[in-house]
Amino acid sequence: MTENPEMGVRRFGAVNWLGTWTLARREVQRFMNVWSQTVMAPLINAGLLLMIFTIAIGSRRGDVMGVPFLEFIAPGILTMTVIQNAFANTSSSIASAKVQGNIVDTLMPPLSPVELLLGYLAGAVARGLMVALVIAIGAWMFLDVPWPHPLWSLTFVVAGSVVLGGLGMIGGIYANKFDQLAAITNFLITPLAFLSGTFYSIEALPPALQTFSHLNPFFYMIDGVRYGAIGVSDSSPWLGLVVVLCAAVVILGMVWIWLKRGYRLKA
């Protein structure tokens, strides 16, 4: 007669693929169930921003870095929308579970910290890619954005979604109330997104602010997507990729430590 495995022994190999896939699918279904709020609303906001700039400035604004102004800002608006949605997906999921008292349903299954991390990030990346794809198609059709290097844009959209998904997990784990999460969004994520070259080239900034921009990982995300969209950028896309990947390693490492310790998750 075969003996039962000891308590605590993983019975499904080194990786719980089924559990990770189930968590990832839950995170995707969670935002798709309210797609009008999580997907359609950001697309409408991005479209309104472009329309406002078209009406208010239009052709009266000179070229920026050799391209029309609207073509220049379209990748910035796309990336800003991706950033906000990737952060919102993971942060709202964890914070809601904590506030409602059902975070235990996520912690009890046999999922390691890495598997939890991958499951949550899958939802953030899926939401970021979905929003980015629709905005990119719209920018190509209505603004004639050429997208000479689409793989670069895709790389930075995915990397940016991972970084902001990780930051969202940090915010969701740390916040015990929605007010705290809103403060993180309003006083950290939104300012960093707006002050990262979304609507302007950092060459127009004073030297001190240029230095600050080069310390902001959000700048490299936007600059990398812009390079893929219009073929010009303020910095090398390779440098930007290194900076964004380093930021991802630091942030995801911090999330892994918090998940492993159960920081602010386990009573």
Side-chain angles (χ1 to χ4, degrees), residues 30 50 62 79 107 112 123 136 138 156 161 163 173 212-214 248-249 267:
R30 193 183 68 85
L50 288 172
T79 313
L107 299 178
S112 69
F156 278 96
S161 297
V163 171
I173 293 172
F212 171 77
S213 295
H214 280 104
V249 170

Side-chain angles (χ1 to χ4, degrees), residues 13 20 36 60 137 151 172 211 218 239:
T20 305
S36 60
R60 290 173 293 178
I137 292 174
L151 289 180
T211 301
F218 289 20
L239 172 62

Side-chain angles (χ1 to χ4, degrees), residues 128-250:
L129 283 173
M130 188 174 300
V131 170
L133 178 62
V134 178
I135 296 177
I137 292 174
W140 172 66
M141 292 178 60
F142 299 108
L143 297 178
D144 295 324
V145 176
W147 300 99
H149 309 293
L151 289 180
W152 273 113
S153 292
L154 176 63
T155 299
F156 278 96
V157 165
V158 173
S161 297
V162 169
V163 171
L164 269 295
L167 279 176
M169 293 185 70
I170 290 176
I173 293 172
Y174 181 81
N176 288 324
K177 299 183 297 183
F178 286 115
D179 290 348
Q180 295 174 333
L181 187 59
I184 295 172
T185 302
N186 294 332
F187 298 112
L188 179 63
I189 302 302
T190 300
L192 287 177
F194 273 98
L195 298 175
S196 54
T198 302
F199 305 106
Y200 54 84
S201 169
I202 65 168
E203 293 178 355
L205 297 175
L209 290 180
Q210 287 190 32
T211 301
F212 171 77
S213 295
H214 280 104
L215 297 175
N216 180 3
F218 289 20
F219 158 71
Y220 295 99
M221 299 174 198
I222 292 173
D223 205 47
V225 174
R226 179 171 286 136
Y227 175 77
I230 60 178
V232 296
S233 59
D234 282 305
S235 65
S236 166
W238 289 106
L239 172 62
L241 185 60
V242 170
V243 172
V244 174
L245 291 179
C246 288
V249 170
V250 172

Side-chain angles (χ1 to χ4, degrees), residues 246-257:
C246 288
V249 170
V250 172
I251 291 169
L252 298 185
M254 182 175 177
V255 176
W256 176 79
I257 292 173

Side-chain angles (χ1 to χ4, degrees), residues 42-102:
L43 297 178
I44 293 175
N45 289 338
L48 287 174
L49 278 174
L50 288 172
M51 185 178 70
I52 290 169
F53 277 106
T54 301
I55 296 173
I57 299 176
S59 59
R60 290 173 293 178
R61 177 68 161 84
D63 291 353
V64 181
M65 299 178 68
V67 299
F69 178 64
L70 292 178
E71 288 187 22
F72 176 83
I73 66 171
I77 292 175
L78 181 152
T79 313
M80 184 177 66
T81 306
V82 168
I83 285 171
Q84 293 171 341
N85 278 265
F87 177 85
N89 204 71
T90 51
S91 61
S92 63
S93 179
I94 296 176
S96 297
K98 290 175 63 179
V99 171
Q100 295 170 4
N102 57 26

Side-chain angles (χ1 to χ4, degrees), residues 15-54:
V15 180
N16 184 354
W17 295 110
L18 178 60
T20 305
W21 165 253
T22 302
L23 177 58
R25 186 175 62 179
R26 187 198 74 177
E27 288 301 294
V28 173
Q29 290 178 340
R30 193 183 68 85
F31 75 79
M32 286 303 297
N33 286 337
V34 286
W35 64 271
S36 60
Q37 301 175 33
T38 57
V39 179
M40 185 58 65
L43 297 178
I44 293 175
N45 289 338
L48 287 174
L49 278 174
L50 288 172
M51 185 178 70
I52 290 169
F53 277 106
T54 301

